Amino acid sequence: MTERVFVDKQHPRAYQALLDVAKAARAAAREAGLDRGLVELVNLRVSQLNRCAYCLALHTEALHKLGETRLAVLPAWDETDLFSPVESAALRLAESLTTLPDTAAQDAAYAQAAEVLTPDQLSAVEWVVVTINAFNRVSIGSRHPVTGLSA
């Protein structure tokens, strides 16, 4: 296997810009009334879909620190009643924006989310999804190693 360039290290200004966008997205979510736990659930679900091991480890640890106990069922969140309507709307929208299904399916996911989320919340969730997808690609492309996991 060819050794990968860590693009975050190779072009730190570009990576810093991405960090700044993510910080702004988290602030937008907070200002829209979405808590950090919901943001981290979205980050984890998107990272599951993208199979980003580095981000999976990072956001799983963050959710453990927040006391989240539903991680085992997150891949099947829509088969349970364990997630609130707001969480479900955010997760459905996140999946739709990550997998980019056909237009009709994406429109349906957006319409369902719009029934529960305010315009500010919809926008904030979309920005969170955009940034975690970008971070997933940075880590996947760079093959960032997963180390130092806590039990």
Side-chain angles (χ1 to χ4, degrees):
M1 180 174 72
T2 303
E3 191 168 325
R4 300 290 181 103
V5 171
F6 284 15
V7 298
D8 50 328
K9 305 292 188 236
Q10 193 70 30
H11 289 97
R13 285 196 336 237
Y15 187 69
Q16 185 58 55
L18 181 56
L19 290 170
D20 291 343
V21 171
K23 183 178 178 181
R26 285 191 307 273
R30 186 175 51 256
E31 291 163 7
L34 302 173
D35 67 24
R36 182 63 188 249
L38 178 104
V39 169
E40 291 298 336
L41 281 172
V42 166
N43 286 336
L44 184 61
R45 183 64 187 130
V46 169
S47 297
Q48 288 173 337
L49 294 170
N50 288 326
R51 298 177 44 86
C52 180
Y54 183 85
C55 294
L56 284 167
L58 182 75
H59 296 291
T60 296
E61 187 168 330
L63 282 159
H64 279 293
K65 286 181 181 176
L66 292 172
E68 180 58 62
T69 60
R70 302 169 294 176
L71 299 184
V73 297
L74 186 58
W77 66 268
D78 58 343
E79 300 294 329
T80 76
D81 60 358
L82 299 176
F83 297 87
S84 74
V86 168
E87 290 169 331
S88 295
L91 290 167
R92 183 171 291 107
L93 185 59
E95 288 181 356
S96 173
L97 293 171
T98 299
T99 61
L100 298 175
D102 64 83
T103 304
Q106 194 171 49
D107 287 347
Y110 192 90
Q112 288 175 327
E115 291 176 9
V116 178
L117 301 173
T118 68
D120 279 347
Q121 290 173 329
L122 279 166
S123 179
V125 169
E126 286 192 49
W127 276 111
V128 168
V129 172
V130 166
T131 58
I132 190 58
N133 270 292
F135 281 117
N136 286 169
R137 274 117 184 105
V138 167
S139 291
I140 291 167
S142 298
R143 294 247 166 96
H144 286 155
V146 178
T147 60
L149 292 177
S150 59

